[in-house]
Amino acid sequence: MSHRSLDYTRLSQVDTLVRRIGRGRIRPDQALIALESIMTAGHPYPRAVATFGWALMSGALTMLLGGKPTLAVVAFVTTALIYAVNVRLSHWGLPYFFQQVVGGFLATLPAALIYRLSIEYGWDVQPYRVIVAGIIVLMAGLSLVGSVQDAITGAPVTGAARFFEVVVFTGGVVAGVGMALRVTSELGATLPPMQQQPFDYAPLPILVASGGVAAAAFALAGYAQIRALTASFLAGCAGALVAGAVLNLGLGPIVSSTVAATVVGLAGGLLARRAVVPPLIVAVAGITPLVPGLAVYRGLSELMAGQTTSALTNMATALAVGCALAAGVTLGEWVARTIRRPHLPPNLRPHIGGITFRRVRD
């Protein structure tokens, strides 16, 4: 059984093939051969590079969340371990849901042990930043954006199926984190519950830079082409900048996520055209730093502390933020397509059989 992974290079190649088919530049038999060649080709670079991308993304997210460089190193090593273990479990045929459970467990356990040591030696450590970064990494590869886009654009059946898959796999992450919190509590390494108070992110310059690095690292982990990394970095910077600015205005996570995702979708649609990559790659990478891992961990922490109402509120907030991100990206991409589309007067639009067609750029 092969490891379930993203491959944005294949997506780019399929997108190019579809454009060639639409322009009539390739025959159907040639298109079939080309598609088979794309689907059977190996990844463009070794798995170790993808592992480095996931680990780098986790370290950058820890910095974005206000963590210190030493804590970012812990997140880097932890995520590399999670990826290596899950690849091995996949080779053994373990279903992906249980891989998410293992990932959530491994993302939490080292942080709890470090917190236990910090109490003994007087270190100033905030372990939940490592856990939140791990949750975001595990949730980043799920197709939330695609599922909501399907629902918005008139494909409710596939949208519902993909959204249910996202919910189930996210439930695996939640279960793994919850199990780790229970185990560490029994071992005497209880993590402190997060309070319902404003969260201290990194200063804005570090926030923007970390967001860009995390987005580019996600694209790298997804085997994206090199030219997509720069566009992803810029989209991640833009999303983090807008989200940080809106949060500083006190408008809350849902509004900030919606506005930031719309900007990312717009930037992705415009930057992707210059980079000659599908806009979805840049948009998904750009919103990765905005995935609501913080709300998920807050909900779990409160659930373990017996605060059921607050826990359900945070879980609902996480779901709302996820949907807001997907909806914002969809709106931003639509604006980008509208900007790129030439608006021809009626007398210049081609007519075939009494039907008026709009001329649309590829």
Side-chain angles (χ1 to χ4, degrees):
M1 182 176 180
S2 59
H3 176 63
R4 175 177 175 144
S5 63
L6 302 170
D7 193 329
Y8 285 132
T9 292
R10 290 178 184 172
L11 177 61
S12 297
Q13 292 171 343
V14 170
D15 180 72
T16 301
L17 178 60
V18 169
R19 292 175 183 274
R20 293 182 63 195
I21 294 172
R23 294 168 181 168
R25 296 181 179 178
I26 185 172
R27 298 196 310 269
D29 58 328
Q30 294 175 326
L32 181 60
I33 295 173
L35 180 61
E36 291 178 351
S37 176
I38 292 171
M39 299 308 297
T40 57
H43 295 308
Y45 34 81
R47 180 169 287 157
V49 177
T51 302
F52 174 79
W54 289 119
L56 178 62
M57 174 184 165
S58 182
L61 289 171
T62 303
M63 296 290 294
L64 181 147
L65 294 167
K68 297 180 180 179
T70 52
L71 209 58
V73 173
V74 173
F76 182 98
V77 175
T78 300
T79 302
L81 175 64
I82 291 172
Y83 187 82
V85 169
N86 278 349
V87 168
R88 178 55 57 187
L89 292 176
S90 180
H91 287 166
W92 291 346
L94 185 70
Y96 189 71
F97 171 83
F98 297 105
Q99 296 177 38
Q100 292 288 86
V101 174
V102 172
F105 186 88
L106 293 179
T108 307
L109 190 60
L113 297 178
I114 289 174
Y115 181 69
R116 174 70 181 273
L117 292 175
S118 70
I119 295 176
E120 295 181 2
Y121 293 98
W123 300 338
D124 181 18
V125 175
Q126 296 174 318
Y128 53 81
R129 286 183 163 88
V130 175
I131 301 173
V132 172
I135 291 174
I136 295 174
V137 169
L138 290 168
M139 293 175 62
L142 304 182
S143 56
L144 176 62
V145 173
S147 65
V148 176
Q149 282 183 326
D150 285 345
I152 292 175
T153 55
V157 176
T158 56
R162 296 174 73 179
F163 187 78
F164 180 73
E165 180 187 64
V166 171
V167 171
V168 170
F169 290 156
T170 302
V173 178
V174 170
V177 174
M179 291 169 57
L181 290 175
R182 179 63 67 186
V183 170
T184 54
S185 176
E186 294 296 328
L187 295 176
T190 304
L191 289 168
M194 292 186 64
Q195 302 298 322
Q196 287 294 338
Q197 58 187 10
F199 184 81
D200 294 329
Y201 288 90
L204 194 57
I206 298 177
L207 182 78
V208 173
S210 300
V213 172
F218 174 76
L220 181 66
Y223 296 100
Q225 296 166 307
I226 299 300
R227 61 174 177 264
L229 301 185
T230 301
S232 298
F233 175 81
L234 294 175
C237 289
L241 175 62
V242 173
V246 175
L247 281 174
N248 288 338
L249 295 176
L251 297 181
I254 297 177
V255 174
S256 64
S257 298
T258 304
V259 176
T262 303
V263 172
V264 169
L266 174 61
L270 299 178
L271 291 172
R273 183 173 178 81
R274 289 185 173 274
V276 198
V277 295
L280 180 64
I281 298 175
V282 179
V284 172
I287 67 168
T288 293
L290 309 176
V291 171
L294 178 61
V296 170
Y297 178 69
R298 265 182 168 160
L300 277 175
S301 178
E302 289 165 345
L303 187 63
M304 300 298 293
Q307 301 174 1
T308 307
T309 303
S310 298
L312 293 177
T313 300
N314 274 294
M315 290 298 184
T317 299
L319 179 61
V321 169
C323 292
L325 289 175
V329 166
T330 304
L331 177 62
E333 290 183 348
W334 175 82
V335 173
R337 289 195 301 271
T338 303
I339 292 174
R340 296 199 311 260
R341 182 183 299 131
H343 297 279
L344 299 178
N347 60 331
L348 295 181
R349 294 173 188 165
H351 292 71
I352 299 178
I355 302 175
T356 300
F357 292 89
R358 292 182 181 272
R359 187 170 299 166
V360 181
R361 287 182 183 172
D362 294 321

